[in-house]
Amino acid sequence: MNVVVVEGSESYRPEVLGPAIRRLLDPFGGMGAFVRPGERVLLKPNMLAAREPERAVTTHPAVLREVIGQVKEAGGIPLVGDSPGVGGIRRVAEKSGLLAVIEETGAELVPFDETVTVRGGGMFREFAVARPYLEADRLVNLPKLKTHEMMTMTCAVKNLFGAVVGAAKAGWHLKAGADRELFARMLLEIYLLRRPDLTIVDAVLAMEGNGPGSGDPRHAGLLLAGTNPVAVDVIAAELAGIPKKLLWVERAAERLGLDGWDRAAIETRGKGVEEAKLPPFRLPHLSDVQFGLPPFLKNRLRHYLTSRPCEIPGACRLCGICRDACPPGAIAIRDGRLHFDYHACIRCFCCRELCPEGALGVRDGALLGIIKKFA
C-alpha cells in the first residue's frame, strides 16, 4: 500500500508553510526517516526557465528553503540541482528566487553538466543522466503541480526528466516526442533508473491552462508527499480533477504494471482528499486526436487532426529561444519573422513551453477544429 499525504498551506509565509511541511512528513517519521547525518541530499526542484516565483513556472523558493532547513536538521548536506529547459542553471535559479535561498541557507548549487551513461531496463537501451543525480546519497524530488500541453499534467514523474542534461532533452523529444505513449514510457524508465527517496509537491500556487511555461497561476493551497512518484501523481491528478484518460504517464505505468498506478492501493493521509479536492483545473488546448489511429492513418491525417504552434502577430521579439530549443529544428527566423516547417514539427510544443514572451499561439488542423466544435 502506497501512502500519499495531503496537507493544506494557504500561503508561502514561513509561519504557515513550515508547520505544514512538518505535518506533511510526520506520517513518514519526518525528514529524519529519509536522511542520515553526513549524507549528501540532492534536492531536485522544477527549474524549467528563468521566471519569477509568482508565475508558478518553477518550484517556489519558500518550499526549497523549508526543505533545506529540515534536511540540515536531520544532519544532511543539501545540494540543489537541475538542468533547465532553457538558460543556465545560475540564471534560472537567480530569476526564480531559488539562488537567494541556496546562498542564504548555505546549500550548494550543483549544475547538471557532467553525465553518466546508464543502461535502461526497458524499451530504451541507455540514458545519459547527470552524474550528481545518480551519485547523491539521497534524492528528494520537489516538483511543481502544473498542466502540460503535451502530457496534460507535469508533477512528480515528469520532474525527473530534469536529470537529462541540456540538449539531450531535445534528442529525447525527437526520438519519442511524436507519440505521447512512447514519451510517457521514456519518462517512467528514467524514473526507474534512480527512484527518489521522497517527493514533496509544491501545489500552494499551481498552474492551469497552457502549462508548463505559459499557463496561468492557480492558487490551490496544497502540498503533497510520498515515496512513490507514480502514486503521488495519481492523487495530484485526482485533486486537480484531471481524468485518467488524459494522464499519459499514469496510463503507461498501468500498462507496465508499475507499483503506484492503482488508486485502490493508495492510502491517503493528512487532509482528506474529498476535503482537499479542487474545482477542476483548466486544461491545455486540445492539440491532438490522432492517438489510437493506425500508423498509416496517422501519417496521412496528421496535419488535419493536430494543432501546431504559430506566431502571435506583434508579440514575438525574435529572441531565437524557440528556434534553438526546437528538437527537429523546424523553426527558422527569416525576414524579421518566425517560419515553421510543419512537416518536420513533431507537435511537442517545446517552443511554447520555453517562450519567455508567450508569443506563440496554437492553430488547429481542419478536422480537429470540426471535432472540437461538435464535441
Side-chain angles (χ1 to χ4, degrees):
M1 180 70 73
N2 288 292
V3 174
V4 176
V5 183
V6 181
E7 278 295 340
S9 181
E10 284 302 307
S11 78
Y12 290 113
R13 297 197 314 276
E15 65 272 20
V16 175
L17 183 66
I21 292 180
R22 292 188 184 278
R23 292 195 305 271
L24 188 73
L25 299 185
D26 278 347
F28 302 107
M31 186 65 76
F34 301 99
V35 176
R36 299 289 180 267
E39 289 184 327
R40 292 170 62 83
V41 183
L42 178 65
L43 309 179
K44 166 58 183 81
N46 184 316
M47 297 175 69
L48 175 66
R51 311 286 171 80
E52 299 83 355
E54 58 269 19
R55 295 182 65 178
V57 172
T58 56
T59 303
H60 199 280
V63 172
L64 181 65
R65 184 188 298 277
E66 293 295 338
V67 175
I68 287 174
Q70 293 192 31
V71 167
K72 292 175 73 173
E73 282 181 19
I77 302 168
L79 317 172
V80 181
D82 194 12
S83 179
V86 60
I89 186 172
R90 193 169 186 86
R91 167 64 177 151
V92 173
E94 181 179 20
K95 187 77 170 180
S96 63
L98 297 174
L99 182 60
V101 167
I102 293 167
E103 292 178 341
E104 290 166 13
T105 58
E108 181 182 350
L109 180 64
V110 181
F112 283 7
D113 46 20
E114 185 180 356
T115 62
V116 177
T117 299
V118 184
R119 289 194 61 81
M123 176 181 292
F124 300 99
R125 299 286 180 163
E126 61 182 32
F127 295 90
V129 297
R131 182 179 291 277
Y133 180 85
L134 291 176
E135 294 186 349
D137 297 310
R138 299 288 180 176
L139 175 61
V140 178
N141 187 22
L142 297 176
K144 188 82 162 176
L145 175 57
K146 300 186 288 183
T147 49
H148 193 284
E149 285 191 286
M150 181 181 175
M151 304 306 291
T152 310
M153 183 184 81
T154 173
C155 193
V157 172
K158 179 66 171 61
N159 193 51
L160 301 175
F161 190 44
V164 176
V165 176
K169 287 188 178 71
W172 280 110
H173 272 286
L174 193 58
K175 184 181 295 187
D179 187 322
R180 285 181 173 91
E181 295 177 7
L182 187 62
F183 197 80
R185 179 160 184 161
M186 179 271 295
L187 293 174
L188 288 165
E189 290 190 17
I190 289 175
Y191 146 61
L192 293 173
L193 294 175
R194 170 73 195 268
R195 305 185 190 211
D197 298 278
L198 173 65
T199 292
I200 299 174
V201 179
D202 172 12
V204 179
L205 185 65
M207 179 182 283
E208 64 180 355
N210 293 324
S214 300
D216 300 311
R218 164 78 181 267
H219 182 267
L222 295 174
L223 299 161
L224 292 82
T227 57
N228 185 318
V230 176
V232 170
D233 278 354
V234 168
I235 299 303
E238 183 177 348
L239 294 173
I242 302 175
K244 182 178 178 180
K245 66 181 181 180
L246 299 178
L247 297 169
W248 300 95
V249 170
E250 288 66 40
R251 290 171 58 185
E254 180 178 1
R255 286 193 301 275
L256 293 171
L258 298 183
D259 185 35
W261 70 266
D262 185 2
R263 177 62 179 89
I266 302 173
E267 177 187 351
T268 57
R269 298 185 187 175
K271 192 171 185 177
V273 170
E274 288 304 315
E275 178 189 355
K277 194 173 291 186
L278 302 160
F281 276 33
R282 183 165 48 81
L283 298 182
H285 181 100
L286 176 63
S287 62
D288 196 341
V289 293
Q290 68 171 333
F291 292 98
L293 290 177
F296 76 94
L297 278 180
K298 284 186 182 182
N299 293 335
R300 290 174 180 272
L301 299 177
R302 180 167 178 260
H303 294 298
Y304 302 100
L305 289 173
T306 63
S307 296
R308 51 194 182 273
C310 62
E311 180 183 351
I312 298 174
C316 178
R317 59 182 179 88
L318 300 177
C319 66
I321 287 175
C322 61
R323 175 198 59 197
D324 298 340
C326 179
I331 304 175
I333 298 176
R334 295 194 304 270
D335 303 322
R337 57 168 299 182
L338 295 180
H339 292 264
F340 296 85
D341 180 352
Y342 291 121
H343 292 285
C345 175
I346 62 173
R347 276 60 168 179
C348 65
F349 295 100
C350 287
C351 53
R352 278 172 50 81
E353 179 177 330
L354 299 176
C355 176
E357 305 298 324
L360 295 174
V362 176
R363 182 178 299 145
D364 289 338
L367 289 178
L368 177 59
I370 292 171
I371 291 168
K372 289 169 67 172
K373 183 176 181 180
F374 292 101

